[in-house]
Amino acid sequence: MRGYVTLLRASYQALKGADPGCTVVMAGATNLSWKVIRKLYARGGIRGFFDVAAVHPYTSTPAHVLRIVRLVRRVMSANADGRFVHKDGTPYPGQ
């Protein structure tokens, strides 16, 4: 996980240095995505080093997709950071 945080931070700085208007997307979290993102915030200090967090809510029912989206939104709101999209690219407001 620390290796990814290091890569994300370096990539963000390089990309924004070359093109300040670009959008940096954090790699798509799967399965227990809200827990993965929570750990990245807690362990690595990713706040401010991405613009969008991709989330892949693989599940068997639409209701579970909504549950996953709500859980991820809760983690992101708690860290006052970013927006996110799920696997088909449909954006969800960060707030």
Side-chain angles (χ1 to χ4, degrees), residues 1-2 4 7 12 19 22 24 26 28 33-34 50-52 59 63 65 71 77 79 89-90 93:
M1 202 170 278
R2 285 193 195 275
Y4 177 72
L7 176 64
Y12 182 88
D19 180 1
C22 75
V24 177
M26 183 172 65
S33 51
W34 64 96
F50 65 95
D51 300 306
V52 175
T59 184
V65 171
L71 289 167
S77 292
N79 288 280
T90 303

Side-chain angles (χ1 to χ4, degrees), residues 15 35 38 52 65 67 75-76 81-82 89 93:
L15 290 164
K35 291 183 178 185
R38 186 182 311 131
V52 175
V65 171
R67 179 176 179 269
V75 170
M76 302 217 34
D81 204 12

Side-chain angles (χ1 to χ4, degrees), residues 2-86:
R2 285 193 195 275
Y4 177 72
V5 171
T6 300
L7 176 64
L8 179 64
R9 288 175 150 212
S11 298
Y12 182 88
Q13 292 169 341
L15 290 164
K16 292 293 186 172
D19 180 1
C22 75
T23 300
V24 177
V25 180
M26 183 172 65
T30 61
N31 302 324
L32 303 175
S33 51
W34 64 96
K35 291 183 178 185
V36 171
I37 293 170
R38 186 182 311 131
K39 284 181 184 178
L40 286 169
Y41 278 115
R43 291 184 184 173
I46 60 169
R47 186 172 188 272
F49 288 97
F50 65 95
D51 300 306
V52 175
V55 175
H56 302 286
Y58 300 127
T59 184
S60 59
T61 67
H64 289 145
V65 171
L66 293 175
R67 179 176 179 269
I68 292 167
V69 167
R70 287 184 187 116
L71 289 167
V72 170
R73 287 177 78 176
R74 191 175 302 153
V75 170
M76 302 217 34
S77 292
N79 288 280
D81 204 12
R83 298 169 285 154
F84 69 97
V85 296
H86 69 78

